[in-house]
Amino acid sequence: MSRLSAIRGMNDILPEATPRWQQLETTLRTLMQRYGYREIRLPVVEPTSLFKRAIGEVTDIVEKEMYCFEDRSGESITLRPEGTAGCVRACLEHGLTHNQSPKLWYAGPMFRYERPQKGRYRQFHQFGIETFGQAGADMDAELILMTARLWRELGISDAVTLELNSLGELEARAAFRQALVKYLEQFRTQLDDDSQRRLTTNPLRILDSKDVNTQAILKDAPKLADYLDDVSKAHFAQLCAHLDACGVSYRINPNLVRGLDYYNKTVFEWVTTALGAQGTVCAGGRYDGLVEQLGGQATPAVGCAMGLERLVLLLDALLPSTAERDADVFVIGLGEGSSVAATVLAEQLHNALPDARIVYNCGGGSVKSQFRKADKSGASVALVLGESEIASGTVAVKWLREQREQLTCTQAEAIGVVRDALLISAQ
Ligand code: ATP
Ligand code: MG
C-alpha cells in the first residue's frame, strides 16, 4: 500500500511547533481584547458567488486560486480564500452593522491554489481584523498602531517595515487607470505576459509586477498620486499625522495596489526582508464600498489580515524558541499493583495544584526507563510510589534538577512539598 500523505501545500503543524503558534495566538487575542475588539467565527466554505462579487472577477484569487466545488445539490461552494467577504456577509445577515460600529477579529485557515513554497501554502492561516462604520483616518491609524504594538510585543519590530499608499476613490482611480493604460499601450509587447493580459482586465495590478522590464517601463508611467481626489488626499494626510504623532514610521509606496478589488483610500502592508520573496506579513486597507456592493447600506470599513505561517517563520528566524517542558511533576508507580495508587496521587495533585503540569507515567515500566522519561519531561520533581510506600501511605520525593537528598513523606505532605518546590523553581 502506498504511504498516505497530506495534500500538497497543506501542512501538519507538529507538537514541537505548536507552542510558538499558541504564543502568537495568545498575544493576538489578548491584544484584541485590550483594544475592545470582539471575535467572530465564520464558516470555512461560502457560496462561490460571494467571493466573485466581493473580491472581483478578474483578480488572481478568483481567476486561478480558489478551491471551488459543487456540493451534492449542485450548488457551487468555495473554500474561503480570505476572511473579509465572509465577515461582511455575516454582518449583513445578522444586522451587526445596523446602528452599530463593530470592531471584529477572526482567525483560521484560508485556502488558495497557489504554487507551494516557503511562506506560500495552499492551506494557510490568517488572523484578520475588520472594523465597520468608521470613515475617519483615526480608524485606519488604530489598526496600524495595534499591529505595530504586536510586532513590539513579539520582539520582531526591527524586522518589519510599514508601507502605505492611497488608492483614492473609484472615480479618481478610473481616471488614473485610463492614463496608465494609454501609457502602457505604447509598450504592450515589451510587458511580461501577465501584465499584457492585465492591460485589459486589471491594469492597476501591473504596478505590482515583479518583472524587471515591466518595472523599468513603469518608472515613467503616470502616478496614481497625481490623480487622487482631494478627500482621499486629506484622509491620507490625516492618517500620516496620526502615525507621526504616535511615532510609527512608514514608507509611502506609490506602487502598492493590493490584489483585491474592494480597496479604496488607504492600503498598507507590513513587509520584511527576512523571509525571501514572501515578505508581506500583514496587509490591509479601506473598503468603504464593499458592504453596499454586497447588498447592505453604505458603510465605511477598514481591515487587515496577517499570515500566521509567515509570522511563525519570522519568529523562528529571529528568536530562538525555548524548549517547552511537558511536566513540572512526574508521578512514577513501581511494581505491579502500583497504578491505582499512583493514579490517585496524580489526581490529588491535580486537585490541589491546578496550575502545575503533573504527568502520570501510564503503563509503568522499569525504574530506569521511568526515570529516563521523567528526565525527558523536564519535570523538576519525581514522586515515586513503590510497594513499601503504598503499604505505609508514603511517597518518595526525588529532585531531578538539583543535588538534594531524596525524602519520604506522607502523601498529604507531598502536596505541600511539591508546591514549595515549584514556587522555588518558578522564581
Ligand atoms: P501575496 O502578495 O504574498 O500573494 P496577497 O496580497 O495575496 O499576498 P492577502 O490576500 O492580502 O495576500 O492576504 C493577507 C496575508 O495573508 C498576506 O500578507 C500573507 O501574509 C498571507 N498569505 C496570503 N496568501 C498566502 C499563502 N498562499 N500562504 C501563506 N500566507 C499567505
Ligand atoms: Mg496572493
Side-chain angles (χ1 to χ4, degrees):
M1 207 172 85
S2 66
R3 219 165 54 162
L4 293 172
S5 54
I7 290 176
R8 192 166 125 83
M10 305 202 176
N11 300 314
D12 301 306
I13 302 170
L14 298 177
E16 59 256 34
T18 48
R20 188 131 252 179
W21 280 80
Q22 289 169 355
Q23 177 218 344
L24 176 58
E25 288 157 357
T26 306
T27 309
L28 276 161
R29 219 178 300 125
T30 313
L31 184 71
M32 290 299 109
Q33 226 165 26
R34 287 163 62 196
Y35 277 81
Y37 286 61
R38 297 167 77 187
E39 183 184 8
I40 185 167
R41 300 195 181 196
L42 304 159
V44 172
V45 281
E46 297 274 3
T48 303
S49 56
L50 172 67
F51 299 116
K52 289 193 171 166
R53 273 173 68 183
I55 300 169
E57 295 267 4
V58 287
T59 55
D60 279 355
I61 293 182
V62 171
E63 277 185 335
K64 24 181 211 202
E65 297 175 0
M66 292 207 305
Y67 279 90
C68 304
F69 305 91
E70 274 192 8
D71 70 7
R72 285 172 189 276
S73 65
E75 187 188 353
S76 178
I77 60 175
T78 293
L79 296 183
R80 62 181 183 191
E82 54 100 61
T84 307
C87 185
V88 171
R89 197 258 322 124
C91 283
L92 288 179
E93 196 169 330
H94 305 287
L96 299 189
T97 54
H98 190 71
N99 296 328
Q100 303 168 72
S101 302
K103 296 178 171 184
L104 305 172
W105 66 267
Y106 57 81
M110 306 292 161
F111 303 84
R112 297 186 193 177
Y113 195 79
E114 303 199 71
R115 195 170 67 78
Q117 53 201 290
K118 184 183 172 194
R120 192 176 293 288
Y121 312 100
R122 290 182 172 173
Q123 173 173 334
F124 61 99
H125 297 79
Q126 278 187 349
F127 189 98
I129 311 173
E130 317 286 356
T131 70
F132 299 92
Q134 299 294 344
D138 48 355
M139 192 68 255
D140 313 29
E142 181 172 285
L143 285 185
I144 291 173
L145 291 168
M146 282 195 306
T147 46
R149 183 178 301 279
L150 175 68
W151 316 139
R152 289 199 297 276
E153 291 186 358
L154 293 171
I156 57 174
S157 48
D158 288 346
V160 291
T161 53
L162 174 62
E163 303 210 335
L164 278 186
N165 193 21
S166 176
L167 299 180
E169 290 302 353
L170 221 60
E171 305 79 53
R173 211 150 69 233
F176 167 68
R177 181 188 155 122
Q178 238 178 10
L180 181 68
V181 171
K182 192 163 163 227
Y183 168 83
L184 288 175
E185 283 290 0
Q186 313 166 71
F187 307 97
R188 178 180 271 279
T189 52
Q190 296 163 47
L191 298 174
D192 61 281
D193 289 347
D194 263 350
S195 295
Q196 288 195 27
R197 198 168 47 83
R198 286 182 173 142
L199 210 46
T200 43
T201 57
N202 199 349
L204 254 58
R205 274 312 295 259
I206 298 175
L207 299 178
D208 211 21
S209 167
K210 306 279 183 289
D211 184 78
V212 187
N213 265 337
T214 303
Q215 275 302 332
I217 294 168
L218 282 170
K219 282 223 160 61
D220 296 321
K223 297 283 173 277
L224 178 56
D226 298 330
Y227 287 77
L228 282 192
D229 51 289
D230 289 342
V231 176
S232 295
K233 270 192 212 162
H235 185 96
F236 195 63
Q238 270 290 312
L239 171 59
C240 294
H242 279 75
L243 297 179
D244 293 339
C246 295
V248 172
S249 45
Y250 49 87
R251 186 176 86 89
I252 295 174
N253 174 0
N255 289 338
L256 185 65
V257 289
R258 313 281 306 113
L260 300 85
D261 274 1
Y262 49 60
Y263 289 111
N264 70 308
K265 290 196 177 124
T266 312
V267 287
F268 67 91
E269 288 191 0
W270 286 98
V271 295
T272 177
T273 51
L275 294 181
Q278 271 56 252
T280 305
V281 293
C282 173
R286 245 186 200 280
Y287 50 95
D288 294 331
L290 185 61
V291 175
E292 194 175 17
Q293 194 185 311
L294 294 181
Q297 295 207 328
T299 307
V302 51
C304 66
M306 285 156 242
L308 295 186
E309 280 78 1
R310 290 184 195 178
L311 285 174
V312 168
L313 282 170
L314 192 56
L315 287 168
D316 284 344
L318 298 177
L319 308 167
S321 58
T322 44
E324 185 82 355
R325 289 197 298 163
D326 289 326
D328 299 312
V329 183
F330 200 84
V331 180
I332 292 174
L334 290 177
E336 245 171 85
S338 68
S339 91
V340 170
T343 302
V344 169
L345 177 64
E347 283 301 297
Q348 282 169 347
L349 289 165
H350 279 296
N351 292 341
L353 306 168
D355 294 332
R357 286 166 293 187
I358 295 146
V359 171
Y360 162 60
N361 184 42
C362 290
S366 70
V367 181
K368 205 169 149 203
S369 85
Q370 295 210 67
F371 271 98
R372 206 181 305 121
K373 284 188 199 166
D375 188 46
K376 215 171 148 215
S377 76
S380 44
V381 183
L383 297 183
V384 187
L385 283 180
E387 274 160 32
S388 65
E389 284 85 8
I390 292 170
S392 59
T394 59
V395 56
V397 182
K398 293 201 184 225
W399 313 96
L400 299 172
R401 313 285 153 196
E402 54 189 309
Q403 293 293 340
R404 200 165 147 187
E405 195 79 11
Q406 84 168 67
L407 62 89
T408 299
C409 59
T410 67
Q411 294 185 12
E413 286 165 350
I415 290 169
V417 171
V418 166
R419 185 185 283 126
D420 292 347
L422 297 184
L423 278 177
I424 290 163
S425 75
Q427 277 166 4

